[in-house]
Amino acid sequence: MLYELGTFFYITGFIYVYALLLAHYGKIVLRYFMNENLNWNADIEKPRILVHLIGLSIMHLLFYQFHRTTSTLILIIETSAFIVAVVFCQISWRLVFLQQFTSEKQKPSPSKLTSFELQISKAEIRLLYNGLVRYHLINMDKTSLTDMKNVLTKAWDEHQSSIYFELDAPSCREFYDFLNKRFPENRLSLKAFFRYSKCIKRPDGKLYNYNTIKTATLRTPISKKHEEIAKIFKSLD
């Protein structure tokens, strides 16, 4: 009875994971046979495929081992590991995962950019700046309203301005996400914002670590300054 229930549970897990893959990539295969032009790098996400290769390999190994195990304790451990592998595969379909690996593809190559081309008005810049000052999220001694305007709207080689945030990596990532969503007409890629522009700096004057900020939402989905940042962008409405 225990093995019958276990077999049913394992098969259900396989059906769930493979169904997710079929629902997504089945459409791409169909488009291929219909002779449609495909951007393989954009349509078939390598990170997602890697996650599934790892997760499914573990699942198949545990399923094979399941029928060779006689200890109830070992069965429980293997089943728990199987559940973790299923969840591991499912994570690749979450919004956070998609943002991590697809947001950069939607932007031009960061190394070729010379400005953010942010479509933001002077009034909105003033509200944004005042909000950052109000909640102590920016170093106002090093960053003036003019600095904010220069960084967000002008070519990087046209000014010497910088924005000195008082934010940790997760808070920086949330600020970027809010800014990008609020002003979609831009060339505001994450890499350009924190690495190539050299205009966004830490309180000590050094550049933020791009890789740390890129993966910040995986470690900390909600930052310490989430409420303050949300209120600032709400004031722009």
Side-chain angles (χ1 to χ4, degrees):
M1 183 65 180
L2 180 61
Y3 282 95
E4 291 177 354
L5 289 175
T7 300
F8 175 79
F9 175 80
Y10 276 68
I11 292 177
T12 301
F14 281 119
I15 291 175
Y16 174 72
V17 173
Y18 280 112
L20 289 176
L21 288 171
L22 181 61
H24 181 74
Y25 292 109
K27 298 177 182 178
I28 299 175
V29 173
L30 179 61
R31 288 169 55 194
Y32 172 78
F33 284 106
M34 296 297 291
N35 291 325
E36 294 186 23
N37 292 326
L38 297 176
N39 183 343
W40 293 102
N41 289 330
D43 290 334
I44 301 182
E45 305 88 344
K46 293 179 181 178
R48 175 180 285 159
I49 292 177
L50 177 61
V51 166
H52 280 81
L53 285 175
I54 295 173
L56 284 169
S57 296
I58 295 174
M59 289 167 62
H60 280 284
L61 177 62
L62 291 170
F63 183 64
Y64 171 77
Q65 189 64 29
F66 171 75
H67 295 284
R68 298 165 58 91
T69 303
T70 58
S71 170
T72 302
L73 178 60
I74 299 299
L75 285 175
I76 294 175
I77 295 175
E78 290 175 351
T79 302
S80 299
F82 184 85
I83 294 174
V84 172
V86 172
V87 173
F88 182 70
C89 291
Q90 197 275 333
I91 285 176
S92 69
W93 302 101
R94 294 182 60 189
L95 181 59
V96 171
F97 185 92
L98 296 177
Q99 290 175 340
Q100 284 296 130
F101 294 102
T102 63
S103 60
E104 295 302 306
K105 295 177 183 178
Q106 299 170 0
K107 301 294 181 180
S109 174
S111 61
K112 298 180 181 179
L113 299 182
T114 58
S115 71
F116 299 136
E117 297 182 7
L118 196 67
Q119 301 300 311
I120 182 174
S121 67
K122 293 181 180 180
E124 289 171 322
I125 294 177
R126 187 178 299 107
L127 288 171
L128 183 61
Y129 179 78
N130 290 340
L132 290 169
V133 171
R134 182 183 306 114
Y135 293 109
H136 307 289
L137 305 184
I138 195 173
N139 189 322
M140 62 179 300
D141 295 328
K142 296 182 178 180
T143 308
S144 66
L145 178 60
T146 299
D147 290 327
M148 176 78 74
K149 178 182 177 182
N150 289 342
V151 170
L152 296 181
T153 62
K154 292 185 177 181
W156 304 326
D157 58 358
E158 292 182 1
H159 61 81
Q160 300 297 318
S161 297
S162 294
I163 297 176
Y164 292 83
F165 280 131
E166 298 283 351
L167 300 171
D168 58 10
S171 301
C172 277
R173 179 58 191 263
E174 279 201 338
F175 178 85
Y176 165 81
D177 289 338
F178 270 99
L179 187 67
N180 195 28
K181 183 178 179 180
R182 180 64 176 78
F183 303 102
E185 296 298 325
N186 64 70
R187 303 183 78 182
L188 196 68
S189 73
L190 185 69
K191 183 173 289 187
F193 194 65
F194 289 103
R195 176 179 290 180
Y196 288 104
S197 72
K198 302 186 185 305
C199 297
I200 310 299
K201 299 180 179 179
R202 303 183 324 195
D204 60 6
K206 296 181 180 180
L207 296 178
Y208 283 93
N209 187 305
Y210 163 71
N211 291 325
T212 301
I213 292 177
K214 181 180 178 181
T215 59
T217 52
L218 294 179
R219 302 187 307 272
T220 311
I222 303 297
S223 75
K224 297 178 182 178
K225 301 298 182 179
H226 173 78
E227 292 186 8
E228 292 89 340
I229 295 173
K231 288 179 181 178
I232 292 172
F233 283 92
K234 182 65 176 178
S235 69
L236 302 182
D237 295 337

